């Protein structure tokens, strides 16, 4: 019942400012019952545990208090029947 996440982020501390950017790469490993299913990320492997995989993404400030962010997640089952799930998210965010 082990679980861990390693993440490397480069760029500006806040990628949501005009012409500022931020990028990241992350690896997540979450064995069966490592945490309660209610506390897992519902986007990575569509929620739950028993998953391992990568996340790659970033954000770029396109205007004052407006930024575009994207994230790609690829995950596989650790044990049991093979199941691979890929998710891509693209968001336009504004703060006012």
């Amino acid at each position: 019942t082990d679980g861990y996440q390693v993440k490397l982020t480069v760029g500006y501390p806040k990628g949501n400012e005009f012409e500022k950017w931020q990028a990241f790469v992350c690896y997540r490993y979450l064995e069966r019952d490592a945490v309660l299913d209610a506390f897992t990320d519902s986007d990575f492997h569509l929620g739950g545990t028993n998953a391992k995989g990568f996340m790659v993404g970033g954000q770029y400030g396109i205007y004052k208090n407006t930024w575009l962010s994207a994230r790609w997640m690829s995950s596989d089952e650790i044990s049991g029947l093979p199941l691979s799930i890929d998710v891509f998210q693209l968001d336009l965010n504004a703060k006012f």
Side-chain angles (χ1 to χ4, degrees):
T1 59
D2 294 331
Y4 60 88
Q5 175 176 306
V6 177
K7 183 176 182 180
L8 174 66
T9 303
V10 295
Y12 291 89
K14 289 187 174 183
N16 59 0
E17 298 173 3
F18 181 60
E19 293 187 345
K20 304 287 189 206
W21 61 272
Q22 187 181 80
F24 70 88
V25 62
C26 175
Y27 180 77
R28 182 180 292 176
Y29 184 89
L30 194 59
E31 288 182 350
R32 187 176 309 215
D33 298 328
V35 296
L36 293 174
D37 286 343
F39 298 120
T40 61
D41 183 0
S42 62
D43 296 325
F44 184 78
H45 203 66
L46 302 180
T49 57
N50 194 28
K52 63 180 178 178
F54 289 94
M55 290 186 289
V56 177
Q59 55 188 18
Y60 181 75
I62 57 176
Y63 194 70
K64 182 181 179 182
N65 294 328
T66 306
W67 65 98
L68 188 66
S69 63
R71 178 187 304 194
W72 176 65
M73 295 171 270
S74 179
S75 62
D76 296 312
E77 288 279 327
I78 295 174
S79 62
L81 297 174
L83 175 64
S84 180
I85 298 175
D86 294 335
V87 175
F88 178 74
Q89 297 175 335
L90 181 65
D91 299 318
L92 176 63
N93 301 291
K95 181 171 64 172
F96 52 92

